[in-house]
Amino acid sequence: MLSRNVDGLSGWQLLVAGLTLSNLGLAAPVEDSPRQYLLAGLDLPPKYSKKLKSPYTPGFKDPYDHAVDAIGEKLDPLPFRNGIGASVLGPWNYERSRQSPDMVRPPSTDHGSVNNMRWSFADSHIRIEEGGWTRQTTARELGSSVELASVNMRLGEGVIRELHWHKEAEWAYVLDGRVRVTAIDYEGGNFMDDLKKGDLWYFPSGVPHSLQGLGENGTEFLLIFDDGNFSEESTFILSDWLAHTPKSVIAKNFNLAPEVFAHLPEGEKYIFQGSQPGSIDDEKPTGKGVKKSKYNFVHRMLEQEPHLTSGGEVRITDSKNFPISKTVAAAHVTIQPGALREMHWHPNADEWSFFLKGRARITIFAAEGTARTFNYVPGDVGIVPRNMGHFVENIGDEPIEMLEVFRADEFRDFSLFQWMGETPKKMVVDHLFKDDPENGEIFWNKVKSAEKDEVTLPDSENEAETKQREL
């Protein structure tokens, strides 16, 4: 693997330049070397650059602001765009710049000030416990995450997230492994179920529950809470409550001698190694007053029949098909390479996104002439405030898999494509193509069907035409 030298040139740049020199049979002096040209922020002369093509050079021109996959193409982004910019002389975080190429070289359409809308769970503090860990992304980590907060938790085999409840409602997506959930409902009904990757659970505010890792590898999941200021440290925990209640009161409550409670935990257990559970039938309570809950707190999201689009697929889970989930709606979206989660906006809630796979760029239009582009990789959280226009573009070579989560009872969005097709032709053309009727006709013929395509893949003939124009 080629490494970057101390002067800021990537190994591949020096290697390609060196091979070119070798092929030419030249031994360039220091003052006329590819290293010196690149350090000075200059284009390489033809004798050096014959095999070296990078969009991050002063002479590279792209009037259409195409995406660049800096990770996939092993490029080091630099702040050059369409003939302006300069090289970097000071300290530089190369890994960060590859993950956020559109921060280093923003599209020419970006303008003004927009709050930060990206956070990586890799930057969240991890709390390590017996057999597991947890980390969170809230409004404290990501100031724009005002409606929802999140916790990423790992439980090993048999490891328990102890009995607890929250002020906030809890929605969860199983990232991997298997997990058992237990709860009681508002009417005292008992609930137990085992979940796998792609399954959800939802516990309304105040509903007491527990979680336990199953199988050889346990589980990992993403928790969402319907308040951006949520803190995992503010959870109501069984052992913590009893540790702060007089034992005489505990004894009276359970009608037992105080000595029975002499060895209760002295504080919260939080996450701890438990016994390996048996099947649900073996473990379910059977006491005289036990009754089964009439509510379903879980949903098999990935078992839903997907809505297929030209560039991917979408599964939507909200109160329509998961009735108990009154405050959280979500979509699981797959975006194929080259495809686009179409230009749209959400009228009823901020979008809180979590990227499971792939590499993406999102430009957020915030009105008043302001827009900013952010990049996302697996493990990243993204925010788009309600009503702000945006898209999600796959800039990598593998499908994007992402969750769109909302503090709402129903998933809602407006499609720009559909809006144009549902608007009178003259109105559209007068707005966008007043002085260009020929292209106005081309545009109208494309959008007049008003067919919504949530994840759209450009027509191959249009792709070919675009490439031809670029050449």
Side-chain angles (χ1 to χ4, degrees), residues 117-138:
M117 302 292 178
R118 174 186 177 270
W119 180 266
S120 173
F121 261 111
D123 293 320
S124 294
H125 172 79
I126 290 185
R127 175 177 172 177
I128 301 175
E129 298 287 336
E130 181 186 9
W133 52 259
T134 183
R135 54 186 178 176
Q136 58 185 355
T137 297
T138 70

Side-chain angles (χ1 to χ4, degrees), residues 33 42 111 142 205 256 277 279 322 335 351 362:
S33 69
L42 300 174
H111 183 263
L142 180 58
S205 171
L256 291 168
S279 67
F322 189 22
I335 306 171
E351 176 180 330
I362 298 176

Side-chain angles (χ1 to χ4, degrees), residues 161-231:
R161 170 64 172 100
E162 77 161 296
L163 291 156
H164 65 284
W165 73 96
H166 310 281
K167 292 181 294 184
E168 302 81 4
E170 174 181 304
W171 181 97
Y173 179 90
V174 182
L175 298 170
D176 212 340
R178 296 171 55 241
V179 58
R180 174 166 296 170
V181 299
T182 73
I184 64 167
D185 61 32
Y186 292 128
E187 300 167 6
N190 165 270
F191 182 88
M192 295 178 66
D193 206 349
D194 293 344
L195 285 73
K196 63 184 183 308
K197 181 178 180 179
D199 291 345
L200 311 177
W201 71 78
Y202 178 91
F203 296 124
S205 171
V207 169
H209 55 282
S210 70
L211 314 167
Q212 185 171 20
L214 301 177
E216 183 178 353
N217 293 318
T219 185
E220 185 174 339
F221 45 82
L222 181 73
L223 302 168
I224 302 292
F225 298 91
D226 57 4
D227 183 349
N229 290 306
F230 168 84
S231 172

Side-chain angles (χ1 to χ4, degrees), residues 26-333:
L26 299 175
V30 172
E31 62 270 20
D32 184 26
S33 69
R35 174 178 177 276
Q36 293 300 322
Y37 277 104
L38 290 170
L39 279 176
L42 300 174
D43 282 335
L44 290 176
K47 63 180 179 179
Y48 298 140
S49 61
K50 182 171 64 173
K51 294 184 179 181
L52 181 60
K53 295 181 180 180
S54 170
Y56 301 112
T57 54
F60 184 85
K61 301 294 177 62
D62 177 14
Y64 300 113
D65 294 309
H66 290 92
V68 177
D69 179 16
I71 294 176
E73 297 178 23
K74 297 180 173 61
L75 298 173
D76 287 329
L78 292 171
F80 293 112
R81 186 183 65 219
N82 295 332
I84 62 174
S87 61
V88 176
L89 300 180
W92 192 248
N93 189 322
Y94 298 104
E95 291 301 324
R96 290 284 192 180
S97 68
R98 292 184 195 111
Q99 291 181 8
S100 297
D102 289 288
M103 280 291 187
V104 177
R105 188 192 66 177
S108 59
T109 49
D110 277 14
H111 183 263
S113 296
V114 176
N115 290 336
N116 179 43
M117 302 292 178
R118 174 186 177 270
W119 180 266
S120 173
F121 261 111
D123 293 320
S124 294
H125 172 79
I126 290 185
R127 175 177 172 177
I128 301 175
E129 298 287 336
E130 181 186 9
W133 52 259
T134 183
R135 54 186 178 176
Q136 58 185 355
T137 297
T138 70
R140 289 173 294 281
E141 288 77 24
L142 180 58
S144 53
S145 185
V146 296
E147 294 191 345
L148 297 172
S150 58
V151 172
N152 178 203
M153 187 173 291
R154 173 82 165 93
L155 302 176
E157 180 181 6
V159 175
I160 295 171
R161 170 64 172 100
E162 77 161 296
L163 291 156
H164 65 284
W165 73 96
H166 310 281
K167 292 181 294 184
E168 302 81 4
E170 174 181 304
W171 181 97
Y173 179 90
V174 182
L175 298 170
D176 212 340
R178 296 171 55 241
V179 58
R180 174 166 296 170
V181 299
T182 73
I184 64 167
D185 61 32
Y186 292 128
E187 300 167 6
N190 165 270
F191 182 88
M192 295 178 66
D193 206 349
D194 293 344
L195 285 73
K196 63 184 183 308
K197 181 178 180 179
D199 291 345
L200 311 177
W201 71 78
Y202 178 91
F203 296 124
S205 171
V207 169
H209 55 282
S210 70
L211 314 167
Q212 185 171 20
L214 301 177
E216 183 178 353
N217 293 318
T219 185
E220 185 174 339
F221 45 82
L222 181 73
L223 302 168
I224 302 292
F225 298 91
D226 57 4
D227 183 349
N229 290 306
F230 168 84
S231 172
E232 181 69 359
E233 310 303 322
S234 66
T235 300
F236 296 101
I237 297 176
L238 173 63
S239 57
D240 189 30
W241 186 16
L242 296 184
H244 293 88
T245 302
K247 287 187 171 55
S248 61
V249 173
I250 299 173
K252 186 177 292 186
N253 186 81
F254 292 101
N255 195 20
L256 291 168
E259 292 77 16
V260 172
F261 305 101
H263 302 293
L264 288 178
E266 296 180 356
E268 67 174 30
K269 301 189 72 172
Y270 190 63
I271 292 174
F272 64 96
Q273 183 66 55
S275 304
Q276 187 66 22
S279 67
I280 288 179
D281 285 340
D282 290 340
E283 299 288 337
K284 64 183 180 183
T286 58
K288 181 179 178 181
V290 171
K291 58 182 178 181
K292 186 176 181 180
S293 175
K294 63 182 181 183
Y295 299 98
N296 184 15
F297 293 101
V298 303
H299 181 81
R300 316 293 176 180
M301 190 180 204
L302 290 190
E303 293 181 15
Q304 287 181 217
E305 191 69 26
H307 169 61
L308 301 179
T309 70
S310 66
E313 56 186 44
V314 179
R315 294 173 173 86
I316 295 173
T317 303
D318 58 17
S319 59
K320 293 179 180 179
N321 55 359
F322 189 22
I324 198 153
S325 187
K326 299 295 186 184
T327 64
V328 178
H332 179 279
V333 182

Side-chain angles (χ1 to χ4, degrees), residues 276-451:
Q276 187 66 22
S279 67
I280 288 179
D281 285 340
D282 290 340
E283 299 288 337
K284 64 183 180 183
T286 58
K288 181 179 178 181
V290 171
K291 58 182 178 181
K292 186 176 181 180
S293 175
K294 63 182 181 183
Y295 299 98
N296 184 15
F297 293 101
V298 303
H299 181 81
R300 316 293 176 180
M301 190 180 204
L302 290 190
E303 293 181 15
Q304 287 181 217
E305 191 69 26
H307 169 61
L308 301 179
T309 70
S310 66
E313 56 186 44
V314 179
R315 294 173 173 86
I316 295 173
T317 303
D318 58 17
S319 59
K320 293 179 180 179
N321 55 359
F322 189 22
I324 198 153
S325 187
K326 299 295 186 184
T327 64
V328 178
H332 179 279
V333 182
T334 301
I335 306 171
Q336 294 299 326
L340 183 81
R341 172 73 172 94
E342 65 166 344
M343 297 174 73
H344 66 285
W345 69 95
H346 303 280
N348 59 334
D350 294 354
E351 176 180 330
W352 187 101
S353 298
F354 183 71
F355 290 83
L356 300 160
K357 294 179 181 177
R359 299 183 290 278
R361 76 166 174 172
I362 298 176
T363 295
I364 299 172
F365 169 61
E368 299 182 336
T370 59
R372 181 157 299 181
T373 302
F374 300 87
N375 299 101
Y376 300 89
V377 297
D380 284 355
V381 173
I383 302 293
V384 181
R386 71 178 70 195
N387 288 313
M388 290 191 181
H390 61 287
F391 60 82
V392 184
E393 182 179 11
N394 188 334
I395 66 173
D397 55 4
E398 63 177 334
I400 287 173
E401 185 181 347
M402 63 179 292
L403 295 171
E404 299 179 11
V405 189
F406 307 87
R407 191 175 71 181
D409 62 338
E410 292 185 10
F411 176 95
R412 291 177 184 161
D413 69 349
F414 281 106
S415 159
L416 176 60
F417 189 102
Q418 187 179 43
W419 181 31
M420 295 295 93
E422 297 275 7
T423 302
K425 176 181 178 181
K426 289 183 179 179
M427 179 72 70
V428 173
V429 173
D430 283 352
H431 269 76
L432 303 177
F433 299 96
K434 182 73 172 178
D435 300 319
D436 190 5
E438 182 178 350
N439 281 320
E441 193 67 25
I442 293 173
F443 179 81
W444 177 253
N445 287 334
K446 186 66 176 179
V447 303
K448 66 182 181 181
S449 66
E451 293 177 329

